[in-house]
Amino acid sequence: MSRESKLTPRSEDYNQWYLDVIQAAELADYSPVKGCMVIRPNGYALWEMIQRQLDEMFKDTGHVNAYFPLLIPESFLQKEAEHVEGFAPECAVVTHGGGHELEEPLVIRPTSETIIWSMYRKWISSHRDLPILINQWANVLRWEMRTRLFLRTTEFLWQEGHTAHATEAEAEAETLQMLEVYRRFAEDYLAIPVIPGLKTDREKFAGAVRTYTIEAMMQDRRALQAGTSHNLGQNFARAFDVTFQAEDGERRLVWATSWGVSTRLIGALIMCHSDDKGLVVPPRLAATKAVVVPILGKKADPERLLAEARKVAAETGLGRAVKVDDRENVSPGWKYHDWEQRGVPVRIELGPRDLEQDQVVLVRRDSGEKIPTPRAGLERALADQLEGIQAGLFERARALREEHSYKVDDEEGFRARIEAPDGFLLAHWCGDEACEIRIQEETKATIRCIPLDAEPEQGSCPFCGKPSDRRVVFAKAY
Amino acid sequence: MSRESKLTPRSEDYNQWYLDVIQAAELADYSPVKGCMVIRPNGYALWEMIQRQLDEMFKDTGHVNAYFPLLIPESFLQKEAEHVEGFAPECAVVTHGGGHELEEPLVIRPTSETIIWSMYRKWISSHRDLPILINQWANVLRWEMRTRLFLRTTEFLWQEGHTAHATEAEAEAETLQMLEVYRRFAEDYLAIPVIPGLKTDREKFAGAVRTYTIEAMMQDRRALQAGTSHNLGQNFARAFDVTFQAEDGERRLVWATSWGVSTRLIGALIMCHSDDKGLVVPPRLAATKAVVVPILGKKADPERLLAEARKVAAETGLGRAVKVDDRENVSPGWKYHDWEQRGVPVRIELGPRDLEQDQVVLVRRDSGEKIPTPRAGLERALADQLEGIQAGLFERARALREEHSYKVDDEEGFRARIEAPDGFLLAHWCGDEACEIRIQEETKATIRCIPLDAEPEQGSCPFCGKPSDRRVVFAKAY
C-alpha cells in the first residue's frame, strides 16, 4: 500500500523524483541480486499493455512468435567479430549444471542473434523458406555496473524480432517498417513524440550494418533511445553459413534484420509524463483507466453509496479497467492522493449530493480538472475525457521538445547550450568519428540520430569546420 | 515447410510417432544446447493460446502478474531444507558476470519460491497487506539428463502463482481454487479429462505441506501430471521470516501457496489427441481454426477462384484464425496432407463446382467427415462444427480413459495389468511409504494421486494386506 508521502519535486532532484514516483506507485523494487529488479504488479501491468498492443502490431505486419533457448554456447558469440566485442564483456556465464562443470561455458543471452541464426541454418535451404518473420518475447541479461530501475538493469524483459530475407532491399524495407511500427506505438500509445533516425557507425548495434532508432526527450530534456531496428546485412548469415537456393538456382547468403524494445519503455513513460504528485499513465496504456471513489458524508448511507458506486463502475463499460475503492477507515482525500500517485487517468467521485443529482464528478489526473457528468451519458463522456488526456499528454510532450530544440551553428553556442543540459541540439556534423568522439568527451553530448526527415542543408561542423549537408541531433542521453 | 512424409504409426512406435508429429507440424526443434529446445512458431502459437486463456482465468480469480529475477543467490535455496534437497542437484550455476568471478554463485531459477518470499518479507507487515495474489509467466531451468521435447526439457516456460495469506484455511482454499482452475482449463480448453487429487508425501513438491495435481491419461495409457497446486503451509514464511501483524495485534507467520503449469501441456495435448496423420488441435486452442483450400480444376479460372477463397475466409468471421492456402505449384492433395499434419481443425474446400452451387465443403480434421455447406450459413455452420470437434475430442479421450481404468484388488492382478502398460489401476493402498516405494521399484507404477472424489471404501493394500479406506490411482507415468 502506498504511503501518504510527498515526492521529491522534479525541480529539486530529478533523479530522486524518478525513484520516488516508482516507489509511490509500487512499480518496481530492488532485488537481492545486484542490478536486477523486481517488476511489481503495477509496473508489470504497464508491460502487459505494451506487449498486448505491440504484439498486435507485429502480427498485423505478418510476424509470428517463437521461443529460443536462454543459454548460448560461448563459442557462438565469437562467430561474429563485432558482436562478440560488443557483448562478451557484459555476459553472465554458466559454468556448472546438474552438479558438474560444463565442457563449454554457456552465456545467458544478452541478445539472441547467434542462437537464432544457428537454427535458421537448419530451417533455410530454398527461396521458398523465405522470408522468416519471427519475434520473441524474452528476458535477457547484460551485466551492468551502474543500474537504474527500468532504464538500465542487468536483467530486463524485451521483444526481439529476427527476420531473414532473400534480398537486401527486402531486409532494408523490413528494418524501416519495424522502425515505423515503433514510432507509431510510441506516439499513439505511449504518447511520447519521437524522432526516427539513423545511428552513426559508432553508436550502431554490434554486428549491424545500419541501426535505426527512435529518440525521445524526457522532462529533464535528456534524450532516451526508445527502440532500435537493425539492418544486419549478411553478417550473421556469413557467420553461421546460412544460404538459400535462389530461383535462378544459385546459392546466396541470406539477409537479416533484428529489432527490439524493452522494459526501458516503462522508464520513458514515467519520465515523460509524470509530475510532482506521482505517476501519470496515458489512458491507452493504463490497465486501470478509472477508479470510483464513494464519498461518505455524515448524511450518507454507506451501503447504498457503495452499491451505487458499483453501479457507476458498471456504467463506465470499462470492465476490469475500472475499480471501486471500497476501502474503509481511510478518508476520500487519502484515496485521491493514493490513486494520483498510481497514475490512474480519471477519478470518478460519487458523494451523497451527486447521488441526488444523478451525476458523478470526473477528475482528470493530467490537469486536475473537475467535470460534473450526468450518469446517463457517463460511458461516452468518460471515453471522451480519456481520449482528451491521451492527446493532451502527447501535445504537452511535443511542446516541451519543440521548446527545447535548438539550431546551433558554432562551437561556443553548442557548448553553452549543452551545459544546461538544454535539450536537442540540431547541428551540422562532418561525418568524422574522431570529431564525434571529441565532442562526446568534451561535452558529454552524443549524436542521437541523423533524422530520417532531415532536410538537405549546406553547413559546416561547429567543431572542425568541415562541410556537412544536413543537421543531426546531439543531446545528453540516458 | 512440412514434408510430404508418412509418420511412424502409433501402433508401431509410440515414442517415435510423438517426435514425428512434432517435426511434421514444426512445433519444436532441438537446440545446440543439450536438453534445451526451440519452440517454433506453430508450437509457440499453442503456448500463446494457453497463456491467453489461463491468464484470463487467473485475473477472474483476482490475481495479478509480476516479474521476479531469473538469478537467485545460492544461499537462498538453502533456507528451506526440503526445497534445497529437491532442487539444488538440478540447478545451473552462474559463477562469472561482467568478466569477473562472482562473490556468491547465482543459480538460474528452477522455481521462484525463495526469491519471491525474500521480497514478500519487505512487502508484508500488516494484515492489510494480505492476501498477495501474484502470478508470474517465466522461463525456468532444471538440469535434466534424459529430455524429451515439451515433456521434459532443461529450460521450459511456465507460470507460477505465489500467494500469501493470513490464515491456513484461506491458503488451503486458494490451493484448491487454483486446482479447479487447472481442471476446468484442461477439460474445457485442452479437451483433456483429468483426475484432480492429492499427491502422496513422497510425490509432493519439495517444500510443500500438500501437493494437489491433475492427472491425465495419454493414448498409450500412461499417466501425465498436467498441473500442480501446492499448499506450502508456513514453510517459506519461516525460512524467510515473513510475519504480519494480525488484527488482534499479534505477529504471525504468513501462509503460502504456489501453483504452476508449463509448456509440458503442449506435450499432453499432442499425445492425447493426435493421430497417425499428425497433429490434432482442439479448436479452442487452435490459432488457425480453419484453412480455405481452393481447388483448381481444368475448367477453373484461377484468379476468380482465389478471390472467392478470400471472400469465403472473410465469411467465416474468424479474422486472423482462418487462412487461405494460395500456394502455387502444389496440388490440393498435398495441401490437405500438409494442413492435416499441422492439426488445423477444419479444412474448407472450394472448387469450381462448389462455386456454381454457392457452397463450400467443410472437412473435419478429427473424423475426416465432409460436410457440404451453403455459403450463406457458413459462419454459424463452421462454429457448430468447431464446437462439435471440441466436444468430440474430449469425449473420445474420456472414453479411452474409462476403458482403461481398472479396479484391482490383489497383487497378481495388479502386476498383470501394469505390465502392458494398461492404464489407470484403482487400487487400495495402505498409506505406507515403504509399500509405495516397493511397488514402484517392482512394477514402475507410481501413485498418481488420491482422487479428491474418492468414495470411502474398506479394503486392503494388494501388496502388504494392511487396511485401506479408499482407492488411489496407480499408473506408469511420463
Side-chain angles (χ1 to χ4, degrees):
Chain A
M1 194 168 293
S2 63
R3 314 279 170 266
E4 172 117 33
S5 58
K6 274 197 88 160
L7 276 59
T8 306
R10 285 164 289 184
S11 57
E12 196 173 292
D13 182 342
Y14 188 83
N15 290 337
Q16 189 56 47
W17 164 80
Y18 174 71
L19 298 175
D20 285 358
V21 169
I22 290 172
Q23 201 195 352
E26 299 184 327
L27 300 178
D29 205 341
Y30 298 96
S31 93
V33 178
K34 203 167 156 285
C36 294
M37 74 172 162
V38 173
I39 306 180
R40 301 187 68 175
N42 292 346
Y44 199 83
L46 292 170
W47 184 238
E48 287 183 284
M49 296 298 278
I50 289 171
Q51 281 193 300
R52 190 167 314 168
Q53 183 54 39
L54 271 178
D55 200 69
E56 209 45 43
M57 294 166 91
F58 295 160
K59 283 177 176 150
D60 281 343
T61 42
H63 300 84
V64 288
N65 291 322
Y67 187 77
F68 295 84
L70 173 77
L71 299 178
I72 302 178
E74 213 171 34
S75 58
F76 277 34
L77 276 195
Q78 284 150 11
K79 287 180 191 257
E80 213 290 326
E82 290 186 6
H83 195 66
V84 66
E85 201 188 324
F87 287 106
E90 298 183 352
C91 283
V93 187
V94 176
T95 55
H96 291 71
H100 299 283
E101 185 164 357
L102 304 179
E103 282 179 32
E104 181 184 356
L106 302 169
V107 303
I108 296 179
R109 61 181 162 224
T111 179
S112 300
E113 277 77 5
T114 57
I115 188 97
I116 288 179
W117 280 83
S118 80
M119 298 307 299
Y120 283 1
R121 185 181 178 184
K122 287 177 74 172
W123 299 345
I124 299 171
S125 62
S126 148
H127 64 91
R128 279 186 295 269
D129 301 323
L130 296 173
I132 292 182
L133 303 172
I134 281 181
N135 175 62
Q136 165 170 279
W137 293 95
N139 53 343
V140 286
L141 226 116
R142 298 177 187 174
W143 215 262
E144 293 282 357
M145 299 316 297
R146 294 171 57 186
T147 58
R148 216 168 146 68
L149 293 173
F150 291 115
L151 294 179
R152 180 169 287 109
T153 49
T154 291
E155 182 188 10
F156 56 92
L157 303 182
W158 78 345
Q159 61 68 218
E160 45 181 329
H162 294 274
T163 68
H165 305 269
T167 68
E168 183 173 15
E170 214 185 278
E172 179 70 5
E174 166 79 7
T175 312
L176 288 169
Q177 172 185 254
M178 299 323 288
L179 188 76
E180 172 61 12
V181 164
Y182 289 157
R183 185 202 64 74
R184 270 204 294 134
F185 176 72
E187 300 199 331
D188 295 353
Y189 291 86
L190 300 175
I192 300 177
V194 293
I195 299 177
L198 184 68
K199 285 284 183 191
T200 64
D201 278 356
R202 176 172 160 74
E203 300 277 342
K204 78 183 182 196
F205 177 78
V209 172
R210 272 187 298 286
T211 287
Y212 296 95
T213 178
I214 50 171
E215 297 283 329
M217 183 187 287
M218 301 294 99
Q219 286 182 73
D220 66 346
R221 304 172 214 160
R222 281 181 186 261
L224 184 136
Q225 174 182 306
T228 47
S229 184
H230 316 294
N231 184 330
L232 303 174
Q234 295 173 310
N235 292 345
F236 287 90
R238 201 174 294 114
F240 288 88
D241 189 24
V242 187
T243 62
F244 69 102
Q245 184 161 41
E247 290 190 67
D248 61 14
E250 283 210 37
R251 289 210 79 80
R252 297 211 179 84
L253 282 170
V254 176
W255 299 86
T257 85
S258 69
W259 28 274
V261 299
S262 73
T263 34
R264 179 165 233 233
L265 287 180
I266 298 174
L269 183 151
I270 298 166
M271 289 209 300
C272 191
H273 301 305
S274 300
D275 60 23
D276 290 349
K277 288 190 201 162
L279 185 67
V280 173
V281 182
R284 288 189 191 168
L285 255 282
T288 303
K289 297 189 201 303
V291 60
V292 185
V293 181
I295 307 168
L296 281 173
K298 282 188 182 156
K299 294 196 308 184
D301 167 359
E303 278 185 30
R304 180 170 167 235
L305 196 64
L306 199 56
E308 288 294 328
R310 298 217 163 91
K311 276 193 212 159
V312 166
E315 286 159 17
T316 63
L318 286 176
R320 214 181 268 143
V322 61
K323 296 215 179 318
V324 175
D325 189 343
D326 57 6
R327 285 177 286 183
E328 293 170 12
N329 304 324
V330 286
S331 69
W334 192 94
K335 291 179 179 181
Y336 299 169
H337 181 77
D338 192 45
W339 293 107
E340 276 169 3
Q341 286 193 340
R342 291 161 189 266
V344 174
V346 172
R347 177 172 81 230
I348 305 176
E349 299 180 357
L350 179 71
R353 203 171 305 164
D354 298 314
L355 266 191
E356 273 169 33
Q357 297 177 18
D358 213 26
Q359 68 163 29
V360 293
V361 178
L362 306 183
V363 186
R364 283 171 64 140
R365 174 65 183 86
D366 60 342
S367 60
E369 193 188 345
K370 295 187 169 216
I371 304 137
T373 304
R375 278 173 65 176
L378 177 59
E379 182 168 352
R380 178 61 186 273
L382 179 57
D384 287 348
Q385 290 302 328
L386 290 170
E387 274 309 298
I389 294 170
Q390 182 78 30
L393 291 176
F394 180 77
E395 275 315 316
R396 193 168 71 182
R398 187 154 72 176
L400 183 91
R401 188 185 71 184
E402 295 312 312
E403 193 185 338
H404 296 283
S405 293
Y406 309 91
K407 287 191 178 179
V408 291
D409 290 307
D410 56 66
E411 186 174 336
E412 201 183 352
F414 189 109
R415 287 182 187 274
R417 271 287 173 218
I418 207 69
E419 277 300 313
D422 207 4
F424 287 179
L425 272 54
L426 311 175
H428 281 278
W429 171 57
C430 55
D432 193 341
E433 190 164 314
C435 212
E436 184 183 5
I437 293 172
R438 187 186 138 210
I439 295 169
Q440 181 176 2
E441 283 174 353
E442 295 181 6
T443 71
K444 300 216 162 43
T446 49
I447 299 176
R448 303 315 305 156
C449 69
I450 303 159
L452 290 190
D453 65 357
E455 309 233 325
E457 181 193 292
Q458 296 308 311
S460 59
C461 176
F463 283 76
C464 73
K466 279 190 276 187
S468 147
D469 58 6
R470 65 190 149 173
R471 290 175 187 269
V472 302
V473 178
F474 283 92
K476 292 184 184 169
Y478 280 97
Chain B
M1 193 169 294
S2 61
R3 313 280 170 267
E4 173 119 30
S5 58
K6 274 196 89 160
L7 278 57
T8 306
R10 284 164 291 182
S11 57
E12 195 174 291
D13 183 343
Y14 188 83
N15 290 337
Q16 189 56 47
W17 164 80
Y18 175 71
L19 298 175
D20 284 358
V21 171
I22 290 172
Q23 201 195 352
E26 298 183 330
L27 301 178
D29 205 341
Y30 297 96
S31 93
V33 177
K34 202 168 157 286
C36 294
M37 73 172 164
V38 174
I39 306 179
R40 301 188 70 174
N42 291 347
Y44 199 83
L46 292 170
W47 184 238
E48 286 183 283
M49 296 298 277
I50 290 172
Q51 281 193 300
R52 191 169 312 167
Q53 182 55 38
L54 271 179
D55 201 69
E56 210 43 46
M57 294 167 90
F58 296 159
K59 283 178 176 148
D60 281 344
T61 42
H63 300 84
V64 288
N65 290 323
Y67 187 77
F68 295 84
L70 173 75
L71 300 177
I72 302 179
E74 213 172 34
S75 58
F76 277 33
L77 275 196
Q78 284 151 11
K79 286 182 192 252
E80 213 288 326
E82 291 185 5
H83 195 66
V84 66
E85 202 188 324
F87 286 106
E90 298 183 351
C91 282
V93 187
V94 176
T95 55
H96 292 71
H100 300 282
E101 186 166 356
L102 304 180
E103 283 179 31
E104 181 185 355
L106 302 170
V107 304
I108 297 180
R109 62 181 162 224
T111 179
S112 300
E113 278 76 7
T114 58
I115 188 98
I116 288 180
W117 279 84
S118 80
M119 298 308 298
Y120 283 1
R121 185 182 178 182
K122 287 177 73 173
W123 299 346
I124 298 171
S125 62
S126 148
H127 63 91
R128 278 186 297 269
D129 300 324
L130 296 172
I132 293 182
L133 303 172
I134 282 181
N135 175 63
Q136 164 171 281
W137 292 96
N139 53 344
V140 285
L141 227 117
R142 298 177 188 174
W143 214 263
E144 295 280 357
M145 298 318 295
R146 296 171 57 185
T147 58
R148 214 167 146 69
L149 292 175
F150 291 117
L151 294 179
R152 181 169 287 108
T153 50
T154 290
E155 183 188 9
F156 56 92
L157 303 181
W158 79 344
Q159 60 68 218
E160 45 181 328
H162 294 272
T163 68
H165 305 270
T167 68
E168 184 173 13
E170 215 185 278
E172 179 70 6
E174 167 79 7
T175 312
L176 288 169
Q177 172 184 251
M178 299 324 289
L179 187 76
E180 171 61 12
V181 164
Y182 289 156
R183 185 202 64 74
R184 270 204 294 135
F185 176 72
E187 300 200 331
D188 295 352
Y189 292 85
L190 300 176
I192 300 178
V194 293
I195 299 177
L198 183 68
K199 284 285 183 192
T200 63
D201 277 356
R202 177 172 160 73
E203 299 278 341
K204 75 182 185 195
F205 177 77
V209 172
R210 272 187 297 285
T211 287
Y212 296 95
T213 179
I214 51 171
E215 297 284 328
M217 183 188 286
M218 302 294 98
Q219 288 182 74
D220 66 346
R221 305 173 213 161
R222 281 182 185 260
L224 184 136
Q225 173 182 307
T228 47
S229 183
H230 316 294
N231 184 330
L232 304 174
Q234 295 175 312
N235 292 346
F236 287 90
R238 201 174 293 114
F240 287 88
D241 189 25
V242 187
T243 62
F244 69 102
Q245 184 161 41
E247 290 190 68
D248 61 15
E250 282 209 37
R251 290 210 78 81
R252 297 208 179 86
L253 282 170
V254 176
W255 299 87
T257 85
S258 70
W259 27 275
V261 300
S262 74
T263 34
R264 179 165 233 235
L265 287 180
I266 299 173
L269 184 149
I270 298 165
M271 289 209 299
C272 190
H273 301 305
S274 299
D275 60 23
D276 289 349
K277 289 190 201 162
L279 185 67
V280 173
V281 182
R284 289 191 190 166
L285 255 283
T288 303
K289 298 189 201 302
V291 60
V292 184
V293 181
I295 308 168
L296 280 173
K298 281 188 183 157
K299 297 195 307 183
D301 167 359
E303 278 186 33
R304 180 169 167 237
L305 196 64
L306 198 56
E308 289 294 328
R310 297 218 165 90
K311 276 194 211 159
V312 166
E315 286 159 15
T316 64
L318 287 177
R320 214 182 268 141
V322 62
K323 296 217 179 317
V324 174
D325 190 343
D326 57 4
R327 286 176 287 184
E328 292 169 12
N329 304 325
V330 286
S331 70
W334 192 95
K335 290 180 181 181
Y336 299 169
H337 182 76
D338 193 44
W339 292 107
E340 276 170 2
Q341 287 193 339
R342 291 161 190 265
V344 173
V346 172
R347 176 172 84 230
I348 304 174
E349 298 180 357
L350 179 72
R353 202 172 307 165
D354 299 313
L355 265 191
E356 274 170 30
Q357 298 177 18
D358 213 25
Q359 67 163 29
V360 295
V361 178
L362 305 183
V363 186
R364 283 171 64 140
R365 173 65 183 86
D366 59 342
S367 60
E369 193 187 346
K370 295 188 169 217
I371 303 137
T373 304
R375 277 174 66 177
L378 176 60
E379 182 170 351
R380 178 62 186 273
L382 179 57
D384 287 348
Q385 290 302 328
L386 290 170
E387 275 309 299
I389 294 170
Q390 181 79 32
L393 291 176
F394 179 78
E395 276 314 316
R396 194 168 71 183
R398 188 154 70 175
L400 183 90
R401 189 184 71 184
E402 296 312 312
E403 193 186 338
H404 296 284
S405 294
Y406 308 92
K407 286 191 180 180
V408 292
D409 290 307
D410 56 66
E411 186 174 336
E412 201 183 349
F414 189 109
R415 286 183 188 276
R417 271 288 173 217
I418 206 69
E419 276 302 311
D422 206 5
F424 286 180
L425 273 53
L426 311 175
H428 281 280
W429 170 56
C430 56
D432 192 342
E433 190 165 314
C435 211
E436 184 183 5
I437 293 172
R438 187 186 140 211
I439 295 169
Q440 181 176 2
E441 283 174 355
E442 295 181 6
T443 70
K444 300 218 162 47
T446 49
I447 299 177
R448 302 317 304 154
C449 69
I450 304 160
L452 290 190
D453 65 357
E455 309 233 326
E457 181 192 293
Q458 296 309 312
S460 58
C461 177
F463 282 75
C464 72
K466 280 190 278 188
S468 147
D469 58 6
R470 64 190 151 173
R471 290 175 187 271
V472 303
V473 178
F474 283 91
K476 291 185 184 168
Y478 280 97

